[in-house]
Structures are given as C-alpha cells and as structure tokens.
Amino acid sequence: MDISIIIGGEAGAGVMRSGYILARALVRGGLSVFGTNDYPSLIRGGHNAYMIHASDKRIHAHRENFDIVVALNAETITRYVDQLTENAAIIYDPKDRSYAEKLSDKALLVEIPMMDIVKEEKAKPVMMNSVAIGAAAGLTEYDYEILKSSILDSFPKPEVGEINARLAKRGYDIALEEYSSKFKIKVAPLEKDGKQIYLTGNEAVALGAMQAGMKFYAAYPMTPASPILHFLALHGPKYGIVVVQPESEIAAINMVIGAAYAGVRAMTATSGGGFSLMTEALGLAAMSETPIVVAIAQRVGPSTGMPTYTAQTDLMFVLNASQGEFPRFVIAPGDVKECFYRTIEAFNLAEKFQVPAIILIDKYLAESHMSTEIFDTSNIKIDRGELITGEYKGKEYRRYEVTETGVSPRAIPSTRNAIVKANSSEHTEYGYASSNALNAVKMQEKRFRKLKYMIMEMDKLNPAIYYGDPQAELVLIGWGSIKCPVLDALEILKSMDISVGFLHFIYLSPFPVKYALKYLKDRKIMLVENTYTGQLANLLKMHTGLTVDYKVLRYDGRPINPSQIVEKVFEVIR
Amino acid sequence: MDISIIIGGEAGAGVMRSGYILARALVRGGLSVFGTNDYPSLIRGGHNAYMIHASDKRIHAHRENFDIVVALNAETITRYVDQLTENAAIIYDPKDRSYAEKLSDKALLVEIPMMDIVKEEKAKPVMMNSVAIGAAAGLTEYDYEILKSSILDSFPKPEVGEINARLAKRGYDIALEEYSSKFKIKVAPLEKDGKQIYLTGNEAVALGAMQAGMKFYAAYPMTPASPILHFLALHGPKYGIVVVQPESEIAAINMVIGAAYAGVRAMTATSGGGFSLMTEALGLAAMSETPIVVAIAQRVGPSTGMPTYTAQTDLMFVLNASQGEFPRFVIAPGDVKECFYRTIEAFNLAEKFQVPAIILIDKYLAESHMSTEIFDTSNIKIDRGELITGEYKGKEYRRYEVTETGVSPRAIPSTRNAIVKANSSEHTEYGYASSNALNAVKMQEKRFRKLKYMIMEMDKLNPAIYYGDPQAELVLIGWGSIKCPVLDALEILKSMDISVGFLHFIYLSPFPVKYALKYLKDRKIMLVENTYTGQLANLLKMHTGLTVDYKVLRYDGRPINPSQIVEKVFEVIR
Amino acid sequence: MVTMNQLNTKARNTWCPGCGNFAILTALKKAIVELDLKPENVVVVTGIGCHGKLGDYINVNSFHVIHGRVLPVASAIKLANYELTVIGHAGDGDAYAIGLGHLPHAARRNVDIVYIVHNNMTFGLTTGQVTPTTPRGLKTRSTPYGVFEDPINPIALALACDATFVARGFAGDLNHLTYLIKEAIKHRGFAFIDVLQPCVTFYNTYQFFRERTYRLEDEGWDPTNKVEAFKKAYEWGDRIPIGIFYRIEKPTFRDSIPGYPKQPLVKEDLKIDLTDLLNLLT
Amino acid sequence: MVTMNQLNTKARNTWCPGCGNFAILTALKKAIVELDLKPENVVVVTGIGCHGKLGDYINVNSFHVIHGRVLPVASAIKLANYELTVIGHAGDGDAYAIGLGHLPHAARRNVDIVYIVHNNMTFGLTTGQVTPTTPRGLKTRSTPYGVFEDPINPIALALACDATFVARGFAGDLNHLTYLIKEAIKHRGFAFIDVLQPCVTFYNTYQFFRERTYRLEDEGWDPTNKVEAFKKAYEWGDRIPIGIFYRIEKPTFRDSIPGYPKQPLVKEDLKIDLTDLLNLLT
Ligand SMILES: Cc1ncc(C[n+]2csc(CCOP(=O)(O)OP(=O)(O)O)c2C)c(N)n1
Ligand SMILES: Cc1ncc(C[n+]2csc(CCOP(=O)(O)OP(=O)(O)O)c2C)c(N)n1
Ligand code: SF4
Ligand code: SF4
Ligand SMILES: [Mg+2]
Ligand SMILES: [Mg+2]
C-alpha cells in the first residue's frame, strides 16, 4: 500500500492543520508517513497545499503525483490535473461541481456537501476541512477511530476537537458508503512495535537542543526557521529554558555568544538573510573560542527570494562565512531523526572543540513532517569538554592556554581563582590583545590545531553514510534533506533492478575526505542538489579532486522528487 | 642603487608622515619607491615604523632588511638588529647613545643631536623627525633641494613647512659632513621622463572611483579602508561627489544601493568585519540587479583580529558571501596602478552587467605607497550599459525584462513612460513579487545567463597576467598585492639565473579558467598567499582540477617578503 | 493629472480582507493624486513584511528592499535625486526591531523623506510574533505565555531623535491619514508617521482604536513645543491622540552637505578632470 | 576584600597620556572596591575602540566583543548568570552609531546591567572621525569641512527608551563618576551612564566641560519625573548638568521571563526528561 494525498485550499483555510491531522492518523496506524507543504509568502488568499505520502513500507519523501486530491476550493480541483495517478479521486464540495465535472474522465469525483454539513452542524466555515479529511479517510476505508483520536489530540480545546471529529465522521460516512467501492486504494493500520512520532525537522532540532541541555535560545523570526522559536517558546519554559526574541539576528547571535561565555549551552536559528547578519558575530565566537550552535534553515535566495520555498544554496556561504580563517562544524542532517541526534552532537562538538557548530537544514526538511520511531533518549551523552566551574585548581588561569590539541581549559565567569578574559582581537594566552607576530602565529596555529582532532572525532561519527549497492558503478551524492528523495528513488530503482549507491554527506565541515574517497573513487558520480550551480560538486573537487559526472539540480524552490532522480538515472544508465 | 630605510618611533611621533616625506623626495628624484608602514592598533605609545625601499630600477615591494635605521626613540635602535644589512647605519639622538653603542660593530652609528636642534630652532619636539629624515638624506648625499620641496608640499601650512625644512637641513648637514663618507650607498636623482606620483592603494581606489564618475560614497570607518573615506571626504566635494559617513556598514551599503537604483554610480569600502555586515545587502544588490561597487581592504581575522596588519584571508568569504546564488565580479588589483584602472573597470562592469562588483585589496596594498607614472586619464571609457534616462521609448517598461544576455534595460526613477519596480523578492519581469516555479527558473536563469557574457568580457581584460619566463617549469601563483613581493622576487631570482614564471590573478570571480589552464597546465605550481589555508589553491583545484605543489604562506599579519619567496624557490629547485 | 485608477497595478493583492494596509495604500494614493505628483517622480521604498507588498500595488517607482533597511535606501535615493518624492514604508518589526538603529540618524540628519510605519503591533508576514510595539501580556506565537517586555513609544522616540515632523495616524481614519501623508510629503525634512494599523488576522485593533483615538487637530494642538509633545506621547489609555505631535523647520541633510552640486547628483556629468588632484600626489 | 592594586593587570596600557579613559577605569575600580565585589563575579563587556581596551586593564572577567554589540552580549551574560555583576563599556561610535539599535531594547526590557558609554565624541581608535555626538561644524577626518549633521542627545534618547536609570558623568570629575557607577551597579535594572570623556588626541574637551558641568545632585534634583528629566536633557550650553537625570524601579527582564528557573541558568542540570513532550508528538 502506498498512497499520496494532497489537500489544497486558500491560505487561511486550515489546509496545513487538516493535512497534519490526517497524516497523524496514518502515523498512529503505524504507517510510514511523510507530509510536506507548499504555500506562498502571504497570510490569506493564496494557494496552500499539504501533501501526504504514506506507505506500509518505509518511505522518506513526498510523491509528485496524487491518488487523492482534497479540494477545499475550486482552484485545487484543477491545479493538480497533471499530477493525478491513474486511479485518482477528487474530493470537493458541490459548489465547485462545474470544475470537477471537467475532470470526470481523469478521476473519481467524490462530491461531499462539506459546506452544507458545516452549516447543519453549526460549525465555522473553515471547519469544512475536517469534513474533507474525514471523506479522504472514508474513501480509503481507514479506521475512523484513529482519525478521531488524531483530531481530538490536535485541538487544544476539547469542545473544538469534538465538533471537528463529528464533522469528519460525516464526511467519512458519505465517502465510505457512496464512493469507497469505486476507489482502489485501501489503507489499513499496521500491527507494529513501538510508538511513532510525527514531527518536522524544525521540531526535531528544537527537541535535540533541549535534550542537549540548551538553556538559552534567542532568535528573530524568519521563515522557515521560525517554528523552532515557536516550539521552544511554548515548551522551553517548562524545562527551565529561557527563550527570547530580540530585536534582530545580530542581537540574537551576540546574546547566544554572551550566554555561552557565561557557561550555558545556547543556540539561535535563522535562515540565509538572518545568517548574513550573523556572519560578523560568527567570527567573534570563533576568535573568542566561545562554543555556540547556529541552526540555519535555507530558503530560496538571493536576498528575500522566495521565503516559503526550499533550496540548498547557502552551503558555500555557510562554509566560508566571516572574515579570517577558522575551523567550524557544519552539519546537515537528512531527516527528522538525524535532526534530533545531530543537534545533540553539535552541542557536544561545539563545547568539546570550543568552535561554532552550524546545523544546516532547508525549508523542505524544516517544515516537512516525517514519521519516525520515538527518539531513544536513554543513552544521550553530554560532553562539555574542558569546562571548568566552581574553582580553578591551577596556578594562574589563562583562557587561551596553548595546548597540544588547541583546546584550552575553559573556565566561566564566577569560577574561583580564575579571571576569564575573552577577546575578539588576537590575544595572548591570557586573553590580552596582542599584535605581536610570533604570538599571532602561535594562536592561529593553536586554533587550527583543533582541526586535526575535529576530523578524528568526526570520522567516528558517520559523517557521510553510504546507502544502496556497495558495488554500484553509479553513486549518487547529496547532502542534508536530499537524503529523503534519494532514498525513495533508490527503492524505486531497486524495484526495477537498477542498483545504484548513494553517499549522503552529513558533515560538510570538516569535509569527510576519507569517506568521499572510500566510496566515490573510480565510480561514476551523480550529484543531486537543490541549487543552480551544484555546490557539493565544487566542494568535492576541491577536497578530493573527484569530479561529478552528472547532476540533478532543481532551483525553482520545489524539492527534488524521487521520480526526477529516477529519470536522470535512467537517462544516464541507458 | 637600491636602498632600504626604516624610520621607527612611538605612535604619535609622526613616523609615517616623515617617512612619507622622505620617500616622496626620492620619488621626485625619479627613483622607484615603495613605502609601507607597520603599526599596532593604538593612537599613542606603541611602536610605529615606515619602511622605504627605493631603487634606480623598478621595484615593487618592501625589503625585509635595512640599510638605514632612523631611530626616533631607543626602542627602534635595537628592534631591527637582525635586519641590518652589512653596511647599515643607525641614525639616533645622543640621549639614546647607550643603546646605539652596543651595536657599534653592526652598523655605522650616526649620532644627530635632534632634540637639541629642535630646541635651538624653537620647534615642537615631535619635529625631531624632520631632523632625522634630513640626516638620512644627508647620509646618502641626496639632493637637499628635492627633500625641501617634498617637505614644503607636504605641510598644508607654509610656515610649518618652512620650519621643518630648516630642521631637515640641519640634520642633513651634519650627516653629510660627519658621516656620509663612511656610508657606502649614495642616492642620486635620475633623469627620467614623465612625472611620477606616490600614493597608496586606498588613494588609487578612491581616485579610480572619482574618475569612473562615482557621485555618491558612503562608508563607515574601518581600518585599513578608512583612508578612502578620508581622501574622498577631502577631495570629493570639489568634484560634486557626495561623501557621507552613516551609522553603520549596513546603512552604508544600503545607501549605496539606493543611490545606484536612483541612477548614480556609488561605492562603499570597508574591511572584513564591515563586509560581514554588508553580506545581506550584497544579495539585495544582486537580486534587484542594482550595480554597486564595494571595496574591501582585508586585515587579519578572525573577528577583530589584528586591525592594522595584513592578510588575504577573506577571499573565499567574499566569493560566497550572501545567501542564494548569483554572479558577481571580484577583482583584486595588484598595485596602485591596477587599483586605479581596475576600479574604473569595476564600475563599468557593474553597470554593464547590473551585478555587484567587489574590489578586493588588503592592508599591505591599501596603505603602502608606491611610485608610479602619473595616471593617463585621457582614454578612460565610461560604459553605463543599458541605462535608460529621460524617456523610455518602448511600450510597457519591465525592469526585469528577460533578454538573451540576461541584462535588462535599466531605467531609473524619473524616466518618463517608465515605472521602475525593483525587488528583493523573486519577481516577474515587471518586478512584482512572485513565487511561481516557472518564473523562478526563468529569472534565476536570466541572472545566471550573464555569467557567460561576464566571462567573455573578462577574458578580454587581462584577468590574470603572466610574468617571467614563459617556459618556466615552476610557476608561482598569487592574487592581489602578492604581485608586489613576487615581482621583486622574480628579479632577484633572475639575477641568480633562476627562471620561474608568475601568474597573477586579478579576477577571482568569474575565475579566469582559460588563463589558468593556459599558463599552469603541466607546470609545477607554487602558491604565494597571506593566509593559513592557501585559499587560491582550493579555488584553482575547484575550477580547473589543477593542484598546487608548493606553498609560501604567511599568517602573522606581516606581508610576504621577496626573500621569503626566493628562499622557498631555492628549496624547491634544489 | 494622475487618477486613483492609474495608480493601480496588475499585481494581485494578497493582503487579508479587512487589513489596515488597504487604508494606508488608499491614503497614499489619494495624497499623490491630491498633490498632483507625477508617478514617475515618486519612489516608494518598502521593507519586508505584509506592508512591504505595498510597492506592488501602486503604480509608482518602488523598491522592495530588505528587512529593516528602508531608511538608508530611501535616504540615498533622495540624495541622488532630490527631485523625486521619496516615501518609505516600514512595518513595526521592520522599523522598530531590526531597523531601529537607522531611525535616530535619519531623523537628526533631517533627510527630506517621508517615513510611514505600518504599526500593526505584530510581525504579520511571519505569522504573528511579538514586535517592539506589542502590548505587554498579549499572547503571540513567540510569546505563548504573554509578551514580557514593555513596548517602545514610537512618538516619544522620534521626538527624542529630533525628527522635525512627528505624527501618528490610524488606518481606521482614512481622511485624517490622507491629510497626514500630504502634510508629510509637503514637509521639507524628515517626516515620521506611525500608523496604527489593525492586523485583522493576528491582532485586530480596529475597535480598540476606534473607541479611543481622537484627532489632535480637533483640539487645537500646538505642534511646536517638543516637551509638550513628549508629554502627549505618553497619553495612551482611554484617549489616544492621532495627528501631528510636532513639526519644525530646519535645514535638510542635502542643504548641509558640503559640495552638494547645483543639480541632482544623477544629472551630473560623469567625466571629471583629475589633473589637479593627481598633481598633488607627485 | 579586593584592593585597587589587585585590580591591575599585566597588560601594557596603550591609551594616550591624559586620556579620559583613565578616569573611567579608575572610577570603575573604585566602585568595585567600595562595593566590595569579588573580581570573579564581575564581568566587563567592552566594544571596539579605545574604550574597548579597558577590559585588558582591569583584573575582572572581561569580554572584548565586536563593534556595537556590547548590549546583547552583556544582557545574555546576565540572563545566564544573574549572580554576576555585568558592566558594559561602549564608545560613542560603538553605542550611538553602529550599536544604537540595541539601546531602546535593552532599556525597555530593563536588563539588570550597567551600560557606560565613553562619549569622547569621536571615533578614537580609527583616528578621529565624526560620531553621532560630535558637535556640528567640528572638522574631523571624515568631515574635513565640518560636521554637517546635528548630534543626537543621548540623555533624551535614553529617557524616550524608558531606561530606568539615566545619568551623565564627566571623566574630569572622578569622585562623582565613581558615585554614579556605584549607584548604577546598585540599581536593579538597566542603568545607563553617558560619560563625557575628553580625547586628548582628537577632541580635547577637558576645559570645555570643566567650565560648564555642574552636578544635578548639588541642586537637589528630583530624578523621578520623566518630563522634567527630558527638559533637563536639552540643557547644553553655558551649563551642562551631570548626575542622575532619572531613576525608577520596575521589574527587570529576568523577573518577567516566563519559566526563568529558581537559580541562574548556568547552575541548571543539563539533563532533562523529554518523555512527556515526545508523547505529545505521537
Ligand atoms: C534579516 C531578516 N530577518 C527576518 C526576516 C523575516 N521576516 C520577514 S517579514 C518579518 C516581520 C515583518 O513584521 P513587520 O515589519 O511588522 O511587517 P508586517 O508583516 O507586520 O507588515 C520578518 C521578521 C527577514 N525577511 N529578513
Ligand atoms: C563592524 C566594524 N566596523 C568598523 C570597525 C572599525 N572601528 C574600530 S573602533 C571604531 C570606532 C570607535 O569609536 P568609539 O566606539 O567611539 O570608540 P573610541 O575609540 O572613541 O573609544 C571603529 C569604527 C570595526 N571594528 N567593526
Ligand atoms: S496578516 Fe495582518 S498585516 Fe498581514 S495582510 Fe493579514 S491582516 Fe494585514
Ligand atoms: S585617541 Fe583619544 S580616546 Fe583614544 S586613547 Fe587617545 S586620548 Fe584616549
Ligand atoms: Mg508589523
Ligand atoms: Mg568614541
């Protein structure tokens, strides 16, 4: 069983929420579910969509075609004509019948009197979306009780949940009774061990930060990173986490640096434009060796670009941001699970090496929901590196003591017998400003000596992961969220007996050279990336000399589809 | 004749000015002169130095050892012991005799009663520096009248010039009479055609901007770029140029964008930290296709680093700054002459392609003075590209009209029959915001279509210049100010019958791939760069696959010496 | 003479129905029509946010810049070509959060532009987070337990920044707002208007302000006394004043700039003769 | 108890002899000694400029940050560990040019820190350019024909930003300055002190201010009336007031933050149990 459903309507019609509720019901049935949205940068009136891909096998991405179109308005009916599968159905309200009728040869027309039902039940017009998702569930003969539980748990106010559940039931019944016999795909809950959760990359990053012991979060809203702020503002206070929205991204990152200097784990998140404003302070963190974590959710640039659409175009920028040279971690998780665990890793690495660590995601990963087994938090390790609190036992504390690893013992203010002098200027071991040439060499080499140890540590952390046929001639490469469509593409290709490999880069800095050489040498390489220029290809060449042979690129703001990858592989293999 | 003189003293003692005056006197004598400074980031008390390298042959850089040390204080006497040439002399005041005497076997001791002379002449103590440079001139038997002319023209107030000239004469006479016979190097003016000017990279960039027709300059002070602001603030108003110092670098670049949108040529300049703050607006310029010029004078990072010292560490940052992908020009002139002409070029290219153009220099080039033939301004071309003023003759004006070259006709506000809509969001041809997928592709491709034409244009402009033996097995590469020490190193090597080549990159974006391949394929390559990581090597590999074999790097904030290069070549050639 | 209709564009308006931005747009258009300005000589500079889309909806030159940078861009457009009428539109997030650092400087320089802040007390376009003007206690997406900072007072701030024209408008009072915008355009110098703009989706303040606002002009307010204006700026309760709090004349930025040529910069010849200057460097 | 001598460091002082910064440093040290603060519990955050070197010269924790960002860094240090005494030192360029956007926000939040602005009316370290407090007409390196903008009024601005402690000091009046810094440290909330600091190299104002400054405290000034304080802020002529213009109590930022734990953040356990939260996501 594999089904793809799209719910569409006007911005403000609750498209995303109802899509989420339906998807969540499927998740609760043990299915593997991926839900993603498509919306323009406006509050009301534009077209919004939520796409659900669900399967009884493990899936990782959206599908570009749909088995069910849930049309909350007329526009939705016609918008996806070219993306209907053979046995598709369209759910719509009778008021939009004239649009639907034109498609009678393309899809099963499932007319549900949503507006009437809403009126009869004295509900708000916007609640027609609950009727609609009820109908979608009914059409596939899914278990209504599970849908109901999802609805009830998704509205904070029980009375509201109840109404919506009632509305869904009405849509459910009509679809089940009048249409389900004509619709081929049936969805049934699975018997499966272990609870699943259904969450976005943003939420997973937020949870990872919480689990890592972050106590201070400051961020200025910016699509698509704002939900991290919303999530932490809502849930942080219960866990003693201070969450503030300061006056700008510049303030945010400088606050994070201040908090980290004072000894708490701290993070900020933003998108490219906000990160542009943070570049100067990123250098401050590096020079003062203050461990901070910055999460960046990319969107389409340049400049304001298309704020609600996805891209991977900030890679080279993030790798090279800020004046001067310093080592940094840039970590790009590929799905929600990785978002959680890699964020924890980022906090540990930042403190262990006293360098900035950047989590690099994109709108597609940040805002897509994925089902995943509930996170195992029993084994989380917190490694604060060479942190000194309470009292310094040595003789005379030097914040920038030159050591073999480049990492200096890090006391925090209030430590007895230690005066902690941090400095953005080049400095002596004590932290006093110095422009002495020998000192400069000593300090620059100290900071860069960390790199060797960072690489050693990274090499233990699966910085790049290989999937698929170990011997494949053709290896796809990609980073971050590209994992999602590629893994699904791999499955499709496998089902066609085409075997390729996939090397997924999670670390971009330091660059996992060993892994790249091990898996890519003497293979044909195909890059898959949401950019125009193919940045990872440049990076790979720079670090290893290896050249990418083929590219699957996309730069219209939409995520790459598994089928787009499959097609390109076809083209190449022939 | 080749001489190297260092003048040292306390910050505030007028070291730089007196060094400049002496150097200028040599320039007026037709010599080839290079003058550079070394000072910490403070106003009083630290040690300052001005180094003069002069020759009757063309030279391009400082020398790391000195024939004359002009010591305005005791510290200077001892500071350069290890850098004295065989026949060196030290000029000092009797009060510091005890320090000098220890060096009597290392140098000719030229004791000049500078303080006494100043007192006798009832001048200010700081004016002892004029006595000192007079003595230096006397020691080398240089023409006093030329020195006098340099002094008189270097003080705005004639009376002050007169006193200083008198003081210099007294130093001159003593040195000439009592010491010159014991000093080997004699400096004499040359008979030479054509006037020379003596100026810094900063001044040359400022002059280039003026000559290019820049009418608006906004900049926030930042070492080592501030002198551009000072120069333009002083001289701009006479030429109808508006010069403002706004509240921040963010304000500066956004002002420049506003002015450029309104139709005037506009520029800002800064160093790495300020540029960090400009990255967001750089993307605005790119997305709105507003032609701006940004000059960046690099200094040592990360962060505040060593503000008054030199580095080339911002290359990768500048090439990749700002979110999203867009073409840009990054041009790194190698000496003052190139600063002038390439800045004019940058303005033309920015307007022709409606992209940001960046002039990338560094403290060494920005603040070093070089003698050069007076700029020929008779043939300067101003090319404003597809600018429309007055009246738009077409039907309905579209700011972002899609064209074959990617460049759209650019009307400015006030143009009749044209409404000019510029936008940082992705937009339609009219400039209205749009997140339509097809439109996004169209626009991203339009902007990147320019790249092809930018490269074609670049290829005509000597984007990388080859020096030295055309057949050399070993080719040095470098960019920007590296040209200075390398050209002198080449001369030294030639005099030793060692022939190497040098490919000097002036354009870093677009990268001159053709030139790189033409001159570097199948050669041994040695990178010379003021960085820790060797950024050009990475860039070269990324763009051409070519690998650098050897590196001469320096990251203590001091410029690379010709002799450092010579040594490395030796080491390799053996 | 341009008509209201000619000021429309083909762009589809995506503001929420009922949004206070419509009134600001209409008032602006009316001001342009009534002052008989030529569209090609008007430039609207907008920030990022719902308000920022205004440029798409009015047929004059426009520049949709980046978040918080309306003032420097607008200031320089005016310096480059002072024959243009330059009107900046910023959101309260834009103007008072990320971009607040520019306000005191534009004000003290007395740049001859109009600065209209669409103050809906929320980050509209990013779905309703707290801004520096959101009242304490209000639950927003980023302050689910209520705003925990005191808001700024834009009028007091603009006064302390020595702006030469300081006004407050209300999007629910179109005629008065039109009047303010016209006066602001006519003012020679930096004209600041904070407009109370209900956001029907995230913070609908229509009723609140309808019940409380009154026009300073109706009470014979004397807008020449800064200390009195400052006092007035703190009136915020049952009665909330709208109108021109303060207005004086002083030289504009351009008037003060040494060497500003006799015509707009944009008309200056690009060719200059540097011979004299180069000779100074010999 | 710490002594003045123990507050010295080994770093070589590179301020010009006679610089006003020396007095500010001394006043700060005296305040620390007199209030009997433990050096390890004091953090000094400094900006970039001559003033920024202060951290090198005092033996307490210090963070020499980047230009203009003293306030966000200092604010967060305090939030992370409110047992620390956090004192920000900024230059007038730092505080009033590039960093001015942070002032209104730190003020309205009432972050419990001290903010001392070394107002020498020049960019000292970059060799004397105009800043937002340089008087009109003065010739500087970036305004060789005289400053052509009106300066800001830091006191008026801080008042309009609703700072809860607004003072002006003079580096030529060490005792008074020490008093101000002590009061500022004791103040629970955001304490702003603009210090008139002569720069002997680029703008020597010792005599000018010596002749004009007088202490508000000597005149029985009542620092509880904002409008009066605002009026006073504009007194700048033959007589220039120094002292505490305004001072009130209100909850600090930390007091207002929902969920701030019972102890400083820095003492909180990093391990938390997310089970409940994860269950919400099933
Ligand atoms: C540098 C930067 N940070 C954040 C954003 C995200 N952003 C877009 S609009 C907006 C807030 C808009 O609020 P406001 O200025 O009040 O405008 P409104 O939508 O309310 O009209 C923000 C934070 C951005 N575009 N750029
Ligand atoms: C982002 C950035 N821009 C510019 C500079 C250069 N800079 C260093 S100090 C300074 C001005 C200092 O003036 P002020 O803050 O008044 O301090 P003062 O030296 O007068 O104490 C500037 C502009 C910088 N360090 N960082
Ligand atoms: S969200 Fe608010 S400000 Fe934005 S368009 Fe809707 S009503 Fe207007
Ligand atoms: S330049 Fe001015 S502020 Fe800086 S140290 Fe010297 S006197 Fe002090
Ligand atoms: Mg708003
Ligand atoms: Mg200053």
Side-chain angles (χ1 to χ4, degrees), chain A residues 41 43 220-223 226 245 248-249 270-277 299 303-304 307, chain B residues 280 323, chain C residues 15 19 21 47-53 65-69 90-98 117-133 197 199 202:
Chain A
S41 184
I43 303 301
Y220 191 79
M222 185 159 199
T223 308
S226 316
Q245 180 196 310
S248 66
E249 287 88 355
T270 184
S271 188
F275 181 68
S276 277
L277 292 169
R299 60 189 219 187
S303 201
T304 310
Chain B
E280 193 200 5
Q323 73 271 20
Chain C
W15 285 328
C19 172
N21 279 321
I48 301 298
C50 293
H51 69 277
K53 301 177 176 181
V65 298
I66 46 179
H67 192 40
R69 313 304 167 199
D92 49 320
D94 219 63
Y96 303 143
I98 197 168
V117 181
H118 298 220
N119 183 0
N120 56 5
M121 304 175 182
T122 187
F123 281 2
L125 193 59
T126 50
T127 69
Q129 295 87 358
V130 60
T131 75
T133 51
Q197 177 233 318
C199 163
F202 297 111

Side-chain angles (χ1 to χ4, degrees), chain D residues 50-51 91-94 118-125 131 133 197:
Chain D
C50 294
H51 69 277
D92 50 321
D94 218 63
H118 299 220
N119 183 1
N120 55 6
M121 303 174 183
T122 187
F123 281 1
L125 194 59
T131 76
T133 51
Q197 176 233 317

Side-chain angles (χ1 to χ4, degrees), chain C residues 70-71 74-75 78 86-88 106 111-115 184 189-192:
Chain C
V70 165
L71 284 175
S75 300
K78 186 72 185 184
V86 181
I87 303 168
V111 188
D112 184 16
I113 58 175
V114 177
Y115 191 42
F190 184 69
F192 168 80

Side-chain angles (χ1 to χ4, degrees), chain A residues 273 276 279 303-306 313-314 316-317 320 322-325 424 426 435 445 448 532-533 535 555 558, chain B residues 273 276 279 303-306 313-314 316-317 320 322-325 424 426 435 441 445 448 532-533 535 555 558:
Chain A
S276 277
T279 51
S303 201
T304 310
M306 301 196 295
T313 43
D314 300 350
M316 288 299 277
F317 174 35
N320 294 291
S322 208
Q323 73 271 21
E325 301 176 298
S424 71
E426 191 54 280
S435 55
E445 290 179 351
F448 262 102
Y532 180 90
T533 61
Q535 303 191 9
Y555 44 91
R558 278 62 181 175
Chain B
S276 276
T279 52
S303 201
T304 310
M306 301 196 296
T313 43
D314 300 348
M316 288 299 277
F317 174 36
N320 294 289
S322 207
Q323 73 271 20
E325 301 175 300
S424 71
E426 190 54 279
S435 55
V441 168
E445 289 179 352
F448 262 102
Y532 180 90
T533 61
Q535 302 191 11
Y555 44 91
R558 278 62 181 175

Side-chain angles (χ1 to χ4, degrees), chain A residues 509-557:
Chain A
S509 172
F511 194 78
V513 173
K514 270 193 209 158
Y515 285 74
L517 289 174
K518 177 169 167 199
Y519 292 109
L520 299 177
K521 242 187 131 181
D522 304 323
R523 315 271 192 117
K524 288 276 174 207
I525 306 173
M526 180 185 288
L527 169 66
V528 188
E529 199 178 72
N530 253 128
T531 65
Y532 180 90
T533 61
Q535 303 191 9
L536 181 59
N538 290 339
L539 213 54
L540 183 71
K541 190 155 174 192
M542 186 172 116
H543 284 292
T544 65
L546 296 172
T547 304
V548 163
D549 302 283
Y550 316 101
K551 289 179 189 170
V552 182
L553 302 175
R554 184 160 191 172
Y555 44 91
D556 64 356

Side-chain angles (χ1 to χ4, degrees), chain B residues 100-392:
Chain B
E101 277 173 347
K102 290 185 204 127
L103 305 180
S104 57
D105 56 334
K106 295 223 164 76
L108 170 68
L109 302 187
V110 182
E111 188 171 299
I112 309 283
M114 307 189 239
M115 297 301 285
D116 290 347
I117 293 174
V118 164
K119 255 179 241 151
E120 285 165 31
E121 299 283 346
K122 297 196 177 58
K124 291 196 195 140
V126 68
M127 291 182 186
M128 73 179 271
N129 54 34
S130 288
V131 188
I133 59 171
L139 195 61
T140 61
E141 296 177 15
Y142 194 65
D143 184 341
Y144 170 73
E145 288 308 316
I146 304 185
L147 176 61
K148 184 174 173 188
S149 84
S150 169
I151 294 175
L152 294 182
D153 288 350
S154 300
F155 289 93
K157 291 192 195 148
E159 16 1 316
V160 182
E162 289 294 348
I163 302 181
N164 281 284
R166 211 159 58 231
L167 292 167
K169 185 73 168 61
R170 298 222 21 206
Y172 185 92
D173 289 343
I174 300 175
L176 184 74
E177 284 157 29
E178 298 182 22
Y179 298 99
S180 67
S181 59
K182 295 174 231 156
F183 188 68
K184 291 219 175 138
I185 308 173
K186 302 293 159 217
V187 183
L190 302 183
E191 298 297 321
K192 227 177 111 178
D193 276 353
K195 262 197 238 174
Q196 288 196 107
I197 49 178
Y198 186 58
L199 74 174
T200 62
N202 275 333
E203 288 164 344
V205 168
L207 286 163
M210 292 172 80
Q211 190 66 80
M214 176 192 73
K215 295 294 168 214
F216 183 81
Y217 181 79
Y220 191 80
M222 185 160 198
T223 309
S226 315
I228 300 178
L229 171 63
H230 306 157
F231 188 90
L232 289 170
L234 187 64
H235 299 296
K238 280 172 229 137
Y239 297 88
I241 297 169
V242 166
V243 179
V244 298
Q245 179 195 313
E247 58 273 24
S248 66
E249 288 87 352
I250 293 180
I253 188 169
N254 280 287
M255 282 186 167
V256 164
I257 291 171
Y261 164 77
V264 309
R265 289 193 158 185
M267 180 171 94
T268 184
T270 185
S271 187
F275 181 69
S276 276
L277 291 169
M278 292 183 179
T279 52
E280 193 200 5
L282 188 76
L284 169 61
M287 187 56 143
S288 64
E289 304 191 40
T290 310
I292 62 167
V293 177
V294 179
I296 303 169
Q298 299 163 97
R299 61 191 220 188
V300 181
S303 201
T304 310
M306 301 196 296
T308 56
Y309 287 90
T310 201
Q312 298 187 289
T313 43
D314 300 348
L315 176 58
M316 288 299 277
F317 174 36
V318 166
L319 289 171
N320 294 289
S322 207
Q323 73 271 20
E325 301 175 300
F326 53 86
R328 71 192 80 191
F329 284 106
V330 176
I331 307 172
D335 59 24
V336 293
K337 189 172 163 190
E338 290 177 3
C339 281
F340 180 74
Y341 291 105
R342 297 294 185 168
T343 297
I344 300 171
E345 201 167 289
F347 275 94
N348 285 339
L349 293 171
E351 281 205 310
K352 192 156 177 190
F353 294 98
Q354 300 175 19
V355 297
I358 295 169
I359 305 284
L360 187 59
I361 58 175
D362 54 32
K363 187 264 173 180
Y364 183 54
L365 174 52
E367 294 197 356
S368 294
H369 291 93
M370 307 178 199
S371 63
T372 193
E373 61 276 37
I374 200 163
F375 299 138
D376 176 8
T377 59
S378 56
N379 270 321
I380 302 293
K381 271 202 209 83
I382 288 178
D383 180 353
R384 303 207 63 183
E386 307 209 26
L387 188 72
I388 301 169
T389 55
E391 183 171 355
Y392 175 64

